[in-house]
Each structure stands twice: as C-alpha cells, then as structure tokens.
Amino acid sequence: MVFMKTMFKVDLNKTMDQQEVPGHNRWHPDIPAAFSVNPGESFKMECLEWTDGQVKNNDDPSDIRHVNLDRVHVLSGPVHVNGAEPGDLLVVDILDIGIFDEQPWGFNGIFAKENGGSFLVDQFPEAAKSIWDFDGIFTTSRHVPNVRFAGLIHPGLMGVAPSQELLDEWNKRERELIATDPERVPPLANPPNPENVVLGGLKGADFDRVAREGARTVPPRENGGNCDIKDLSKGSRVYFPVFVDGAKLSVGDLHFSQGDGEITFCGGIEMSGWIELKVDVIKGGMEKYQIKKNPAYQPGPVNPNYNEYLVFQGVSVDHSGKQTYLDANIAFKNACLNAIEYLKTQGFTGEQAYMLLSTAPVQGHLAGVVDIPNTCATIGIPKAIFTKDILPK
Ligand code: ZN
C-alpha cells in the first residue's frame, strides 16, 4: 500500500476561513494554490460539506430555510500541478473517497423558493430537511422511513481554475441572462458577490478585487465545477482542460449518494469527508484530443448492484397544460412528479419522495429528443432500496 500524504486538512469544528490553510468558495485564476504536487503523485485531501457547517443533525429545517448561500461551495485546494500549462489536459484519478469516523451522517434539503429554490420549486416552495445516517456503505434516514441503500460516493464538485479571459466570459454571459428577468425568484443565475467570500491566503487589494470578480461555484462550466455527476465515483478518471499554469484543481461538495439531477438542489446526501487523488498531465492534450470546451471522464468500476428499476416517464407539456417544443427540462420535471405521485400512494409524503429521488441512486435518462413536439425523459428507481415491495399489484 502506498502511503497517502494528506495535503489538505480540515478541522470539522472550524469554518473554511478559519482552517490552518483555508480553501475557497469562488472561481478565480488568482486564488493562490494551497499546495503543489508533481505529475504522477497521489495525495489525500479533506473536505468540509458544501455549506461550511451551517446544517445541523436535528429535526428542524430552519437551517435549510435560512441557509446563507453566499457561503457555498467551500472547496479544498487549489492544487498546483507542477508543469501543467494552458492547452494541456489534467488527468485526475479518484482513487478512493470516504467519510470521517467522527461525522457518520449527511443531509439533504429542499431549499425554500425565496432562498435558492429547487427543481420542483412550484410544487415544493417550502424548506424541508432529511438527515441520513451512515452504516458502512449503507444509509438510512429517520426522516424518510422504509428505505435503505448503498451509497455511490462521489465529489459533486471538482474543477480547475478559469483563465481571466474565460472568467470574464462567464461573468458577461451570466449577467446578460440575469438582465432578462432581474427580479425573478429564484434568480436565473448568481453574479459575483463579495459577501462571505473565502479566497485561500489572499490578502489586501488582491482580496478585494478577486472577491468582486470571482465567479460563484453554483453552476457547472467549462472548468468542470459543480457537475453533480453521481457516477464520478471511486476509480473514475477525469480529463480536465487546463486554462492556467499549474491547472489549480479544487474539489468539494462530497456526496454519500445522489440521484441523477440532484433535484432538491441541497442536493445529494451532503457530507464532509476525504478524497484520494492521483494527477497526471497530457502535454498539448486539449488540441490533440479536442477536449477543449468541457471535461470528459471515464466512470469507475465500483457501483451498487441495483438491476431492477421502476421507471417513470414524462413529456414536454408544462403544468398549465401548455405544449412546449421538445423541452427536456419540463419532460424531466414531469417524470419526477409522476414518480413522486406514485410514491405518495406507497406511504411517503411528497417531501419525503422528493428527497428520496434526490438522494437514492436513481437513474435519469433522456429517452427520445427528436419526436416533435415531446421529449421523453425517464427516472428509474431501484426496487431494492425499499424495505417493502412497492410495485403496483
Ligand atoms: Zn452537493
């Protein structure tokens, strides 16, 4: 066994800004690296859960209702990879991921419409919370009874730093979108916001500038970021385009488990934990392999063995009955709502069913995207996660 050095440590009783070496919660090329590694090196990083300790293990959802979203996501890193330059591909192997013995639980929440919202915000405007206890590879929740499943543990967020040019492009295009409906609740996107920033060891005038310019970590972008890909688990290999010297890789938002779509927004089973990574560099790989716009990845070989699913369909007709043209987002919403209505006939509340779809290893697919005017989206729920038979009789 190779000795795995912990290159980024966290104290679970402190917030990210108070750590000995703090991480960050914005994207910017000038956030200084927390440490450096050589290509071919393996190392371990510890991560705080994405809200920086705001959500507690109790039955009261007011922490979810009033969560300070200026604070998210607190990330570990950046890691400077020696020799990586713009135009290269950064190869990242996820060797292993785990929980902390002193914190064997995670949480899921439905964000309130006025504070973040979620995928089904029209049907579920109120905040809710579920706590999930870990039992080895399995999890159960006192707030969502009669289910137990194995986690497919993964980082919800992993990404490299943008160049200044790419960052400016993000801020421009997202501000243009926000300007189309600036008063919308929840907002169309989150512009840079200097409140509650954590920027590693940055100080003085540089801190103020980066706080003003730094992109929020909420959406996935060209650098990877908050992709929330549940299959990016142990044994996966990711190819990131490199935009700055050293690549500046960061990671966080660990999930014990998540359903495709992470539909409640908060999100999978959110947890603090550790991740072991190995990095390498393919010189000139962006041009050579045309992996230039977004990362590509190879899923790992470890997957819970769920083979039998009950699958719900949805099509592109919105909740007022209006026909849309191939709107995949609406189709997937309808698939989720159909699944929730069914689970309500099996003893779950709507909120419990919604949080279950966001946390359990459910499969979301786009079945057909060409049969005008309806896209068909599906959501498949593994039968074996329920402690009783839930099929129609
Ligand atoms: Zn998350």
Side-chain angles (χ1 to χ4, degrees), residues 329-375:
N329 204 288
I330 288 176
F332 191 59
K333 271 185 187 162
N334 286 330
C336 295
L337 288 168
N338 291 340
I340 290 170
E341 288 307 314
Y342 181 76
L343 290 171
K344 281 159 73 175
T345 72
Q346 301 297 313
F348 295 95
T349 67
E351 284 76 13
Q352 287 172 339
Y354 190 13
M355 290 190 284
L356 181 60
L357 295 183
S358 200
T359 53
V362 303
Q363 304 271 10
H365 293 302
L366 291 178
V369 293
V370 293
D371 298 315
I372 55 170
N374 281 330
T375 288

Side-chain angles (χ1 to χ4, degrees), residues 3-171:
F3 173 69
M4 194 71 66
K5 194 165 178 207
T6 302
M7 300 296 279
F8 193 96
K9 282 194 165 66
V10 296
D11 178 337
L12 291 176
N13 299 310
K14 291 179 176 167
T15 53
M16 188 54 97
D17 55 309
Q18 293 169 343
Q19 302 294 329
E20 204 170 289
V21 179
H24 62 106
N25 63 358
R26 298 292 188 268
W27 291 118
H28 197 290
D30 296 340
I31 297 170
F35 63 96
S36 299
V37 295
N38 289 319
E41 226 176 293
S42 303
F43 54 94
K44 187 171 184 168
M45 294 171 81
E46 296 177 343
C47 303
L48 295 175
E49 56 83 6
W50 76 302
T51 72
D52 208 6
Q54 296 184 65
V55 181
K56 307 296 180 205
N57 186 347
N58 59 34
D59 304 330
D60 179 3
S62 41
D63 45 15
I64 294 284
R65 187 175 302 120
H66 302 297
V67 69
N68 184 342
L69 289 173
D70 295 342
R71 192 65 176 185
V72 303
H73 302 70
V74 285
L75 304 179
S76 300
V79 186
H80 183 280
V81 181
N82 297 328
E85 298 171 296
D88 296 344
L89 285 178
L90 179 69
V91 185
V92 180
D93 287 328
I94 300 177
L95 300 176
D96 204 357
I97 317 174
I99 63 173
F100 291 124
D101 290 342
E102 58 269 43
Q103 206 176 86
W105 60 276
F107 61 90
N108 180 265
I110 303 171
F111 281 148
K113 183 174 182 179
E114 297 72 31
N115 191 21
S118 67
F119 187 54
L120 304 175
V121 67
D122 294 331
Q123 290 78 17
F124 296 94
E126 308 291 340
K129 178 168 89 175
S130 52
I131 299 296
W132 295 81
D133 292 307
F134 307 148
D135 184 13
I137 65 165
F138 296 101
T139 186
T140 54
S141 173
R142 62 186 183 270
H143 300 119
V144 185
N146 302 320
V147 293
R148 179 176 187 263
F149 51 84
L152 181 53
I153 195 167
H154 60 274
L157 195 159
M158 189 158 49
V160 292
S163 62
Q164 183 73 46
E165 195 183 16
L166 184 57
L167 173 68
D168 293 345
E169 196 180 314
W170 294 351
N171 286 337

Side-chain angles (χ1 to χ4, degrees), residues 49-50 73 107 154-157 226 228 252-255 257-258 262 265-271:
E49 56 83 6
W50 76 302
H73 302 70
F107 61 90
H154 60 274
L157 195 159
N226 194 26
D228 290 312
D253 187 24
L254 301 187
H255 297 156
S257 175
Q258 183 212 292
E262 205 200 26
F265 191 179
C266 179
I269 298 178
E270 305 296 328
M271 59 172 242

Side-chain angles (χ1 to χ4, degrees), residues 378-389:
T378 63
I379 188 161
I381 312 172
K383 278 163 54 182
I385 68 172
F386 299 96
T387 53
K388 58 170 194 166
D389 183 7

